[in-house]
Amino acid sequence: MDTAPTCYKFIDITSDKKLRQGFITSANFPDNYDNSLNCEYVIHADPLHRIVFYFDQFNLEPSTGCTADKLVIEDLFSRRSETYCGIVPQFSWMSDSNEARIHFLTDDSQTYEGFVIGYEIKDRPPASEFNLHMTDSTETFTSPNFPEAYPKNSKVQYYIQVQPDKYILITFHEFWLESGDIVTTPWSSSRSQSPQPTLSCPDKIVVKDIYYSNFLLDTYCGHQQEFTWISRSNAVIVTFTSDANEEFRGFTVSYRSLQRTPPADWELIFRNVAGNYENTYSRWIDPRAYGFFPPDIKSTLYRELYKSDLMLDWTELGIKRIKINLYKDGVNVRQLRFYAEESKSNTDWFKCENLIYSPYTDLRECDLTGDDRRVFHLPFEIEDGHAADSNCSFGKMWFDLEDVSALTGFCYYETTSAGRPYFAYSTRDTAGDTSSGEGIGFADIFAIFIQRDCHDYVDLDTTATATVKSRLVRGLYIKNEVCDITVQLKPDERILMQFTHFVLQQGDCNQDYVEIEDVLSGAVDKICGTQDQMTWTSSGNSLLVRFRTDSAVAFTGFIATVSKEIRDIEDCSAVNYDDEGTLVNVVKPIPTTGFFLEDCTNVIHVHPSQKIVITFSKFDYQFDDCPQFRIDDRTDDAEGIVVYGSLYPFSWTSQSNELIISYCALTPYRNYLVYNATYTSISTIQAAAVISFKDAEIPGVFSWPQTTATNTDSFLIIRLHPNDLRRVILTISDFVLSDQSCSSFMKIIDTTTKRESMYCATEFQPFTWTSDANEVLLHFKHNSNEQHQVNADYRSYHRTRFDYYSFFTLEHFDESGSFTSPDYPTKYPNNRNYEEYLIHAPPSYIIVITFSKFSLEDETVTTTEIKCEHDFVELYDIQTDPVVFCGTKSPFAWVSTGNEVLVKFLSDSHTVKTGFFAKYHFQPRLSDQSCEGLFTADVGNFMSPGYPYQYDNNVVCQYRFQAAPGKKIHFKFLHLDIEDHVDCANDFITLIDVTSGKEKAFCGFKQNAPITWESDSNLVFGKFSSNDHYKFSGFLATYEVKNVDKSSACVQNFDGISGHVSSPWFPSSYPNDITCVYTITVAEGFLINLSFDFFDIEEKNTDTNACDYDYLSITNPVNSQENQIICGKKDDLQIGISNNVVVLTFHSDFIKVGPGFYITYTQTDQTGIQPITTGCDEQLTSLTGEFTTPNHPLNYPLNMDCVYTITVEKIYKIVLNFDPFNVEFQDTCKYDFVQVVDEAGGTDKKYCGRYSDPLIIHSTNNKLIIKFHSDNMTPSTGFRARYESWLLPTSAPIITGCPHIELTQKSGIISTPNFPRNYDLNLDCSIRIALPENYVCVIRFETFDLEDDEKCSYDYVKLLSLPGGEEQTICGNRNSFDWTSTTNICQVDFHSDEYITKGGFKATYEGVQIQNIIPTSSECVQTLMSQSGSFSSPNYPKYYDLNKECITTIFVPYGNVIEIKFTGFEVEYEENCSYDFVQITDLTCDGNSVICKKSNNISLKNFPEFVK
């Protein structure tokens, strides 16, 4: 200590005192302390005790590091000390020993109110090696010996003290102590005000908040699941005791500190002055006596009462402390403080038991009289239940409390006559003598101040529920509010908080908000705006609620009900706080030896501004002992549902932000329960929106909610109980919305599949929207600037299981889609009950379905009707009644009346067939519905708009003619008067057969015999269109439905330059007993190519080896040699016709049928397919050559056998390349084939079919034999073959060059070590090849596979020309390539690192002589390796030097050739180029060309002898 204290006080509290033993205040308190103070207070207790200090008020000058005014508190034994300054909340500090010192220092600058510190003694714990004193902000501790059993007869204290502006959150992770046997609840609390069930707790933990120890003290024992405990101040004592009996595992604990809010300012709420004025008490209770402007409360100039506006809502203010001040001549002469946190009534504010601080010792002692403590009423009337003759009059307040009765429970006070307000007080530290007036003073002003902090602590010890709400003044919450609410229950309880009202400032939740934190899990939600049906379920026993407001605007705040629930301890229970997640049954529970039903509960919580959609993709729950699987919404007015059985996928949307999934399961056999669910939050649902729910079990109607607020969202959920196994159908009959920008819209969402559609402009009406599962969500977004109108109805319809269900739509409406029966084209299964296909189009479209294959079990025929009773397809138009089809049908089509079709397929247990193949596409609807129609009668008529009067300009009409499958429609135009055009490009009426694509347009004026047109199948679309030019009387037409003559569609002529020909009903099986003739005609002078994309008809007769059953005949009218008949199955067949006309005749017999054929024909330029005349038996000996099938590229002849033998020098092998290759295909190539025989390699292989890529074959040595065979049918274009000769590898040994070798041989083989196996790590090999002068190295890499790297810094091959020549580094995997040196010495270096190995390389090298050129200087030698570039003679364009000899070597990647173009050339000329010349040498074949004549543009193309 630098200087001796200027004030000193020794306080001895060794005598037996109860409760708080005294107060220490700063000088002048409650007025400001003086400057330059140096005060010391030493508090001494007996050695068995230690001292607890309660800092009730603390307000010193703030400074960084407390360098100005400060208070230092120190334990005089341990020398532990802390320094405090500024403003801090109420906190405590406990000594380690029996003696402590407080040192108060002030400087000479600012002064503040100072401090009030209470103190009392506490028992010191027995000495223990396990006692801990913890001051860090976070730490952990355990029971003694943990995880082993704790010792018997232990008492251990864990003292936690953090900074004064913090409080403590303790988490008990493991907890297993001895438990008593008397009571079921192993928990007790000092907060209980009525008898509670408790346990004897032989071994226990006691947790106590030191500052609030009178009511925040809890005892725990037994076995507890993880739980938390929250202090209110900065210091906690955890005391663990064990008896002499059983030992258990103990506990593990962690804690962390959280920020406390600073104390609020004191606010004046009541002031009265002495003198002749109305009674103080009556002015206090009169609600009209408020609102006066408060004069200086220390002044006697204003003899007037003041009552704050706050008194209107004083019960809502959250008053925590009350301060009573008496003023005399402007000086604060006396002050009492009361704790009012537990009080809601003004009559309870001033109970003696709530007194915090008073300068009168006798007042505090009088507060120790047991149950009958005195109650102070304003103006401090004193009631004494034990003194019937007590005469306490109004209008007088005494702080003089002398004359304390010796009898316990009695406090007598002198009184005087009633009258005006009269404030007396004692002027001494002890009470004055009222009988003599000694030590008595009279005050001028009496004032009451309150301190609010709106903090709350909810425990539900004595009640089942509690209400938590914002504090209101005049109906609105208080601005700049900082409220912390702690909810803490027993360890086996959890918290349910339900908000019945929530209206805060809207925005980003950075202004006014409520923040809720689940203490155990750490989950946090920040909430603002207006919310509805908002709940919060804790995972543990504690919640923290923080309410913050700013200074801007105020709203009506929030009200919440807090209740408790039993926490679930099963492993199948949880509280989930994620916005999305997965729930599955726990099929492997904790091992158990018995069988019991276990209750499982999953709470799903999302942000209160959201709702929950839970979707079950699997559900099978069939427990007889516990049949209920419940889904409950937390909101009180929402009924839960019970689901059971084996269900299709379904979803359920919550009305609040929490759902509870509860069920029971037989342990350990939970695998009998199967469910798999996912949940997501719907973030678009805001609480300000209109949200409603409808049950589609009963059909109903709805309209767009008529909201008026801008950008208001409305939500409608229409759903069915999952056990109903039905879907929702919406029919929108009225939809008007003009917002093309989609700021207003209607969105429809299937909550199970998440399929959605958004509509933001007026749509074609009516239209439908069918769900996939049981629930639909409609989201209406309203921009108040837009008009909207929606009217609709809803109903339900049955649905099938999801694995039998498919949804179809089209992203591009000019495309088409398809669907089939199960297992198509094989037979569908029995008992398919039932397959569904939902096809959905936009509202402005209808759906056209074409069944190209349809073969189901036949109809049931009776004398009265034909019925589809067995297997059938049902087409449900949503807006009309379903239609049903069965049996075997020729291709047919069907058109919907609306934008959706639900197709249902069902099979029974009897006959099965191949099923169906269907295509669908969308057809636009007309906005003018009066100009379109669906005609389904067998006969009828139709006409242009207004007929017989003139039609209007710019009219578009649609006519749809629907007949039964197996029918066709015959049209007759009785009158036709439409604007004429050669192509009917202006006004026209068009008829289109939807199935076959047959189309015809009509226009002009026809006055002769009626015009007719007939479809091939049962569905025809008609379209009438007029432009903006002329008007005519239009047309009148009739139609008639007729039976299809199956042969009529089989005579067709094709005259386009290309097209498609197919068998009847393709891709469905063609019918029996039919003959079709297709004539294809192209332009004169052109030929025809037939490409068989698909061909599969009945096979040939095995007895005659001829196509005697079903067949296709191909006839060239001018060349019978090309005629052929084919049958069976063909793949990739092409046939060329040397004429512009070909006739295809298809015939089927009475027995088998097949899928048929699909042929593409094209017109071919005759000049492009002149046959190549090569022989049929050839001996080929040149190094390169070419041969083809006879007549190629036309069809080869039938019954041909050709042999091509290639023999080259023995140093070569042969590379054979077939391109193109097109020979009749058969799996084993037994009809037409090419057979390649490599005698040396022992291979003999046949090839047939069509190859899209070149077919390349390598021989083993210098000879190959190629045999070609064609049978008596199905010729094709054959092949064209080219071959090359490659040098065979020499028989020289393979050289690796490890570590180094120099070679002088002119050829050889080199490779990496171990080739063809992977090379080793960490190798460095070098091969140098030294050749004679005028030679260069040509190295041909056949295989190259090294570790790859962009910079080739790992494994690589380095190729060098020596001396001083070019070098190249190569790595990675490459195809075969060549490298040529620029000098006669080359070097190949190989390096591998310590990591990855690969297959390496193998190469041949050869020395190649450079003729007649001997370079004389290295400056004239260069190697060019780019794929393009330029070079020139020295000094170009100036004259080159004399006696100059230069070499330029050009190297490009393998597989490329080189073309050299001389853009300028002037070299001395001599006929034999004996003087100056340029010599070009192909290093691969020693070919030379020499040039010396002058030219401005020379290309190698000008010199045929040049080799590129």
Side-chain angles (χ1 to χ4, degrees), residues 1161-1303:
Y1161 75 88
T1162 54
Q1163 174 180 290
T1164 305
D1165 186 356
Q1166 181 170 321
T1167 61
I1169 58 171
Q1170 293 300 320
I1172 300 174
T1173 57
T1174 62
C1176 188
D1177 293 300
E1178 291 193 58
Q1179 297 288 332
L1180 304 171
T1181 58
S1182 62
L1183 293 179
T1184 62
E1186 179 177 315
F1187 57 97
T1188 70
T1189 49
N1191 298 332
H1192 180 81
L1194 299 180
N1195 293 351
Y1196 48 76
L1198 301 176
N1199 301 309
M1200 290 290 293
D1201 284 289
C1202 302
V1203 178
Y1204 310 88
T1205 303
I1206 305 172
T1207 306
V1208 297
E1209 295 181 30
K1210 293 185 178 180
I1211 62 172
Y1212 295 99
K1213 70 175 183 178
I1214 301 164
V1215 178
L1216 183 61
N1217 186 330
F1218 289 94
D1219 186 17
F1221 188 99
N1222 185 19
V1223 175
E1224 181 187 6
F1225 176 78
Q1226 194 272 336
D1227 290 341
T1228 60
C1229 295
K1230 69 179 182 178
Y1231 301 145
D1232 301 353
F1233 58 82
V1234 172
Q1235 182 177 0
V1236 180
V1237 180
D1238 185 345
E1239 295 176 344
T1243 60
D1244 186 346
K1245 186 173 181 180
K1246 291 182 179 180
Y1247 301 88
C1248 61
R1250 182 168 62 183
Y1251 286 81
S1252 57
D1253 295 324
L1255 172 61
I1256 299 175
I1257 299 170
H1258 288 253
S1259 71
T1260 305
N1261 65 0
N1262 65 320
K1263 185 176 180 180
L1264 272 182
I1265 299 173
I1266 298 94
K1267 299 178 181 180
F1268 169 68
H1269 170 78
S1270 66
D1271 62 5
N1272 61 350
M1273 61 178 61
T1274 320
S1276 192
T1277 57
F1279 64 79
R1280 180 179 183 179
R1282 301 174 182 86
Y1283 71 90
E1284 297 178 354
S1285 300
W1286 287 15
L1287 282 171
L1288 284 169
T1290 65
S1291 58
I1294 298 176
I1295 301 168
T1296 63
C1298 288
H1300 177 78
I1301 191 171
E1302 184 166 330
L1303 305 175

Side-chain angles (χ1 to χ4, degrees), residues 374-393:
R374 298 305 163 274
V375 178
F376 289 68
H377 295 281
L378 284 174
F380 285 70
E381 168 193 11
I382 301 175
E383 297 175 349
D384 187 345
H386 296 279
D389 58 347
S390 175
N391 182 18
C392 298
S393 62

Side-chain angles (χ1 to χ4, degrees), residues 1371-1418:
C1371 62
N1373 185 290
R1374 296 196 175 200
N1375 295 327
S1376 56
F1377 65 94
D1378 294 351
W1379 180 84
T1380 303
S1381 68
T1382 59
T1383 64
N1384 64 315
I1385 301 175
C1386 61
Q1387 185 165 309
V1388 181
D1389 292 342
F1390 168 65
H1391 170 79
S1392 66
D1393 62 9
E1394 66 272 23
Y1395 294 111
I1396 299 172
T1397 69
K1398 293 283 187 176
F1401 70 83
K1402 180 182 178 183
T1404 62
Y1405 78 87
E1406 183 178 5
V1408 178
Q1409 186 176 13
I1410 304 174
Q1411 297 177 357
N1412 302 325
I1413 293 181
I1414 302 175
T1416 58
S1417 63
S1418 61

Side-chain angles (χ1 to χ4, degrees), residues 1012-1025:
T1012 62
W1013 184 88
E1014 193 169 78
S1015 69
D1016 298 326
S1017 63
N1018 69 312
L1019 180 62
V1020 173
F1021 280 179
K1023 179 181 179 181
F1024 171 71
S1025 176

